[in-house]
Amino acid sequence: MSTPQKKPTWKDYLFLHGMLFLYAAGGIASKTAAGKPFLSFEFCFFYGLMLLNLAVYAVLWQQVLKRFSLSTAFSNKAVTIVWGMLWGCLLFDEKLTLPMILGCLLIFAGIFLVVSDHG
């Protein structure tokens, strides 16, 4: 039987979304590595940076699960798609389209529904 969790505070949500922001930033290293010659210094550097990012994320995710129910934490993880689109626009000159914006709104609506239901 699991022990009931206390209601997450705004600081808990700030920690969660800060961690997800860093996780999404790993996509920058991944995409940058993909544009470099295989096994070149630059490729290895950015690939290693991505792996380091995933290792830090794994540790931080365990801390998140101490503060949130799995359904709340996992539903918030969808925000990384939004961060990925923003990184693409800002750093890689990718275009933001209306369907992408509508998808972001749908993601935020889903997160809101889960968070408001589970606290």
Side-chain angles (χ1 to χ4, degrees), residues 58-88:
V59 172
L60 293 178
W61 182 250
Q62 296 307 310
Q63 298 305 309
V64 164
L65 293 180
K66 290 180 181 179
R67 301 172 187 197
F68 294 93
S69 68
L70 180 60
S71 61
T72 299
F74 199 72
S75 67
N76 276 269
K77 192 175 176 187
V79 80
T80 60
I81 295 169
V82 176
W83 285 119
M85 285 190 289
L86 290 175
W87 291 133

Tab-separated table of all heavy atoms in Angstrom, residues 58-88:
chain	number	residue	atom	x	y	z
A	58	ALA	N	17.587	11.273	-15.623
A	58	ALA	CA	17.160	10.055	-14.930
A	58	ALA	C	17.173	10.242	-13.418
A	58	ALA	O	16.258	9.796	-12.716
A	58	ALA	CB	18.055	8.884	-15.335
A	59	VAL	N	18.196	10.919	-12.913
A	59	VAL	CA	18.285	11.176	-11.470
A	59	VAL	C	17.192	12.153	-11.038
A	59	VAL	O	16.495	11.927	-10.040
A	59	VAL	CB	19.683	11.710	-11.096
A	59	VAL	CG1	19.732	12.171	-9.649
A	59	VAL	CG2	20.744	10.646	-11.359
A	60	LEU	N	17.020	13.212	-11.802
A	60	LEU	CA	16.007	14.215	-11.458
A	60	LEU	C	14.591	13.653	-11.561
A	60	LEU	O	13.714	14.026	-10.785
A	60	LEU	CB	16.166	15.456	-12.332
A	60	LEU	CG	17.447	16.261	-12.112
A	60	LEU	CD1	17.505	17.433	-13.085
A	60	LEU	CD2	17.561	16.739	-10.682
A	61	TRP	N	14.365	12.760	-12.521
A	61	TRP	CA	13.028	12.148	-12.674
A	61	TRP	C	12.658	11.379	-11.410
A	61	TRP	O	11.501	11.395	-10.990
A	61	TRP	CB	13.011	11.254	-13.897
A	61	TRP	CG	11.669	10.631	-14.167
A	61	TRP	CD1	11.329	9.322	-14.032
A	61	TRP	CD2	10.482	11.299	-14.612
A	61	TRP	NE1	10.007	9.137	-14.372
A	61	TRP	CE2	9.469	10.331	-14.727
A	61	TRP	CE3	10.186	12.616	-14.928
A	61	TRP	CZ2	8.177	10.645	-15.139
A	61	TRP	CZ3	8.890	12.923	-15.345
A	61	TRP	CH2	7.907	11.946	-15.436
A	62	GLN	N	13.615	10.731	-10.782
A	62	GLN	CA	13.337	10.011	-9.537
A	62	GLN	C	12.924	10.991	-8.435
A	62	GLN	O	12.059	10.673	-7.609
A	62	GLN	CB	14.559	9.194	-9.108
A	62	GLN	CG	14.927	8.095	-10.067
A	62	GLN	CD	13.772	7.178	-10.389
A	62	GLN	OE1	13.088	6.686	-9.496
A	62	GLN	NE2	13.521	6.958	-11.671
A	63	GLN	N	13.526	12.172	-8.431
A	63	GLN	CA	13.139	13.192	-7.457
A	63	GLN	C	11.726	13.713	-7.735
A	63	GLN	O	10.965	13.983	-6.808
A	63	GLN	CB	14.149	14.347	-7.465
A	63	GLN	CG	15.553	13.939	-7.067
A	63	GLN	CD	15.597	13.258	-5.721
A	63	GLN	OE1	15.059	13.771	-4.732
A	63	GLN	NE2	16.201	12.087	-5.677
A	64	VAL	N	11.388	13.829	-9.003
A	64	VAL	CA	10.037	14.260	-9.379
A	64	VAL	C	9.012	13.249	-8.875
A	64	VAL	O	7.967	13.620	-8.341
A	64	VAL	CB	9.931	14.447	-10.909
A	64	VAL	CG1	8.486	14.499	-11.366
A	64	VAL	CG2	10.668	15.701	-11.332
A	65	LEU	N	9.320	11.965	-9.037
A	65	LEU	CA	8.359	10.930	-8.637
A	65	LEU	C	8.154	10.877	-7.128
A	65	LEU	O	7.162	10.323	-6.660
A	65	LEU	CB	8.799	9.568	-9.170
A	65	LEU	CG	8.741	9.441	-10.693
A	65	LEU	CD1	9.192	8.056	-11.114
A	65	LEU	CD2	7.353	9.757	-11.227
A	66	LYS	N	9.062	11.455	-6.360
A	66	LYS	CA	8.865	11.566	-4.913
A	66	LYS	C	7.857	12.661	-4.586
A	66	LYS	O	7.261	12.653	-3.519
A	66	LYS	CB	10.189	11.886	-4.211
A	66	LYS	CG	11.176	10.755	-4.226
A	66	LYS	CD	12.443	11.174	-3.505
A	66	LYS	CE	13.480	10.074	-3.528
A	66	LYS	NZ	14.724	10.491	-2.840
A	67	ARG	N	7.677	13.600	-5.507
A	67	ARG	CA	6.834	14.768	-5.254
A	67	ARG	C	5.471	14.704	-5.928
A	67	ARG	O	4.546	15.410	-5.531
A	67	ARG	CB	7.548	16.032	-5.736
A	67	ARG	CG	8.874	16.245	-5.060
A	67	ARG	CD	9.632	17.384	-5.690
A	67	ARG	NE	10.974	17.454	-5.134
A	67	ARG	CZ	11.755	18.486	-5.236
A	67	ARG	NH1	11.355	19.557	-5.874
A	67	ARG	NH2	12.958	18.475	-4.710
A	68	PHE	N	5.353	13.892	-6.995
A	68	PHE	CA	4.128	13.848	-7.789
A	68	PHE	C	3.684	12.411	-7.993
A	68	PHE	O	4.504	11.491	-7.997
A	68	PHE	CB	4.366	14.459	-9.184
A	68	PHE	CG	4.672	15.921	-9.183
A	68	PHE	CD1	5.984	16.372	-9.146
A	68	PHE	CD2	3.648	16.849	-9.220
A	68	PHE	CE1	6.270	17.718	-9.147
A	68	PHE	CE2	3.924	18.203	-9.230
A	68	PHE	CZ	5.243	18.641	-9.183
A	69	SER	N	2.388	12.253	-8.252
A	69	SER	CA	1.917	10.950	-8.701
A	69	SER	C	2.469	10.719	-10.102
A	69	SER	O	2.783	11.671	-10.823
A	69	SER	CB	0.384	10.914	-8.722
A	69	SER	OG	-0.110	11.761	-9.734
A	70	LEU	N	2.591	9.466	-10.485
A	70	LEU	CA	3.134	9.142	-11.800
A	70	LEU	C	2.281	9.742	-12.916
A	70	LEU	O	2.800	10.265	-13.892
A	70	LEU	CB	3.253	7.627	-11.978
A	70	LEU	CG	3.813	7.152	-13.313
A	70	LEU	CD1	5.219	7.707	-13.528
A	70	LEU	CD2	3.825	5.634	-13.379
A	71	SER	N	0.962	9.702	-12.773
A	71	SER	CA	0.095	10.235	-13.830
A	71	SER	C	0.281	11.739	-13.997
A	71	SER	O	0.310	12.246	-15.123
A	71	SER	CB	-1.371	9.901	-13.555
A	71	SER	OG	-1.798	10.467	-12.340
A	72	THR	N	0.456	12.460	-12.914
A	72	THR	CA	0.676	13.901	-13.001
A	72	THR	C	2.042	14.202	-13.601
A	72	THR	O	2.169	15.028	-14.511
A	72	THR	CB	0.560	14.553	-11.612
A	72	THR	OG1	-0.754	14.329	-11.112
A	72	THR	CG2	0.831	16.043	-11.671
A	73	ALA	N	3.072	13.529	-13.125
A	73	ALA	CA	4.428	13.769	-13.629
A	73	ALA	C	4.519	13.421	-15.108
A	73	ALA	O	5.066	14.198	-15.904
A	73	ALA	CB	5.441	12.951	-12.826
A	74	PHE	N	3.973	12.281	-15.488
A	74	PHE	CA	4.095	11.842	-16.881
A	74	PHE	C	3.277	12.712	-17.820
A	74	PHE	O	3.705	12.982	-18.939
A	74	PHE	CB	3.701	10.368	-17.008
A	74	PHE	CG	4.224	9.756	-18.270
A	74	PHE	CD1	5.572	9.482	-18.422
A	74	PHE	CD2	3.378	9.466	-19.320
A	74	PHE	CE1	6.073	8.927	-19.592
A	74	PHE	CE2	3.859	8.916	-20.497
A	74	PHE	CZ	5.215	8.644	-20.627
A	75	SER	N	2.114	13.173	-17.386
A	75	SER	CA	1.320	14.046	-18.262
A	75	SER	C	2.034	15.375	-18.494
A	75	SER	O	1.955	15.939	-19.584
A	75	SER	CB	-0.079	14.275	-17.684
A	75	SER	OG	-0.006	15.020	-16.486
A	76	ASN	N	2.738	15.875	-17.498
A	76	ASN	CA	3.491	17.121	-17.661
A	76	ASN	C	4.675	16.943	-18.599
A	76	ASN	O	5.162	17.912	-19.175
A	76	ASN	CB	3.965	17.640	-16.308
A	76	ASN	CG	2.912	18.438	-15.600
A	76	ASN	OD1	2.839	19.643	-15.738
A	76	ASN	ND2	2.058	17.748	-14.854
A	77	LYS	N	5.146	15.720	-18.767
A	77	LYS	CA	6.289	15.459	-19.642
A	77	LYS	C	5.976	15.834	-21.093
A	77	LYS	O	6.879	16.128	-21.872
A	77	LYS	CB	6.682	13.980	-19.546
A	77	LYS	CG	8.005	13.673	-20.166
A	77	LYS	CD	8.395	12.231	-19.924
A	77	LYS	CE	9.680	11.941	-20.643
A	77	LYS	NZ	10.038	10.550	-20.604
A	78	ALA	N	4.707	15.886	-21.441
A	78	ALA	CA	4.319	16.256	-22.810
A	78	ALA	C	4.754	17.672	-23.160
A	78	ALA	O	4.877	18.006	-24.341
A	78	ALA	CB	2.808	16.110	-22.982
A	79	VAL	N	5.033	18.498	-22.167
A	79	VAL	CA	5.462	19.869	-22.440
A	79	VAL	C	6.815	19.885	-23.153
A	79	VAL	O	7.158	20.879	-23.794
A	79	VAL	CB	5.478	20.701	-21.134
A	79	VAL	CG1	6.713	20.438	-20.312
A	79	VAL	CG2	5.348	22.178	-21.432
A	80	THR	N	7.566	18.794	-23.102
A	80	THR	CA	8.855	18.746	-23.808
A	80	THR	C	8.659	18.864	-25.325
A	80	THR	O	9.559	19.329	-26.018
A	80	THR	CB	9.645	17.465	-23.474
A	80	THR	OG1	8.881	16.324	-23.849
A	80	THR	CG2	9.995	17.408	-22.003
A	81	ILE	N	7.499	18.474	-25.825
A	81	ILE	CA	7.203	18.636	-27.254
A	81	ILE	C	7.137	20.122	-27.589
A	81	ILE	O	7.670	20.567	-28.612
A	81	ILE	CB	5.882	17.919	-27.624
A	81	ILE	CG1	6.041	16.413	-27.433
A	81	ILE	CG2	5.458	18.265	-29.049
A	81	ILE	CD1	4.747	15.645	-27.519
A	82	VAL	N	6.529	20.887	-26.707
A	82	VAL	CA	6.438	22.337	-26.910
A	82	VAL	C	7.831	22.953	-26.879
A	82	VAL	O	8.184	23.761	-27.737
A	82	VAL	CB	5.523	22.978	-25.843
A	82	VAL	CG1	5.488	24.488	-25.987
A	82	VAL	CG2	4.120	22.384	-25.917
A	83	TRP	N	8.639	22.561	-25.894
A	83	TRP	CA	10.013	23.073	-25.819
A	83	TRP	C	10.785	22.712	-27.079
A	83	TRP	O	11.536	23.536	-27.607
A	83	TRP	CB	10.745	22.540	-24.593
A	83	TRP	CG	10.329	23.167	-23.308
A	83	TRP	CD1	9.769	22.546	-22.233
A	83	TRP	CD2	10.427	24.550	-22.947
A	83	TRP	NE1	9.509	23.459	-21.235
A	83	TRP	CE2	9.912	24.691	-21.649
A	83	TRP	CE3	10.899	25.687	-23.609
A	83	TRP	CZ2	9.861	25.914	-20.995
A	83	TRP	CZ3	10.846	26.910	-22.959
A	83	TRP	CH2	10.336	27.005	-21.668
A	84	GLY	N	10.612	21.489	-27.556
A	84	GLY	CA	11.309	21.058	-28.767
A	84	GLY	C	10.946	21.911	-29.968
A	84	GLY	O	11.814	22.260	-30.778
A	85	MET	N	9.663	22.259	-30.090
A	85	MET	CA	9.248	23.122	-31.196
A	85	MET	C	9.861	24.511	-31.056
A	85	MET	O	10.313	25.105	-32.038
A	85	MET	CB	7.726	23.213	-31.259
A	85	MET	CG	7.092	21.962	-31.818
A	85	MET	SD	5.340	22.153	-32.157
A	85	MET	CE	4.668	22.227	-30.521
A	86	LEU	N	9.898	25.026	-29.845
A	86	LEU	CA	10.492	26.346	-29.633
A	86	LEU	C	11.986	26.336	-29.913
A	86	LEU	O	12.514	27.263	-30.534
A	86	LEU	CB	10.214	26.827	-28.211
A	86	LEU	CG	8.764	27.204	-27.918
A	86	LEU	CD1	8.580	27.550	-26.447
A	86	LEU	CD2	8.327	28.370	-28.788
A	87	TRP	N	12.694	25.278	-29.453
A	87	TRP	CA	14.131	25.167	-29.754
A	87	TRP	C	14.333	25.137	-31.265
A	87	TRP	O	15.252	25.765	-31.790
A	87	TRP	CB	14.739	23.903	-29.154
A	87	TRP	CG	14.848	23.857	-27.660
A	87	TRP	CD1	14.475	22.815	-26.853
A	87	TRP	CD2	15.386	24.846	-26.769
A	87	TRP	NE1	14.730	23.107	-25.539
A	87	TRP	CE2	15.292	24.349	-25.463
A	87	TRP	CE3	15.921	26.122	-26.954
A	87	TRP	CZ2	15.725	25.066	-24.352
A	87	TRP	CZ3	16.347	26.834	-25.847
A	87	TRP	CH2	16.242	26.305	-24.570
A	88	GLY	N	13.507	24.360	-31.963
A	88	GLY	CA	13.632	24.259	-33.415
A	88	GLY	C	13.470	25.604	-34.093
A	88	GLY	O	14.211	25.936	-35.023
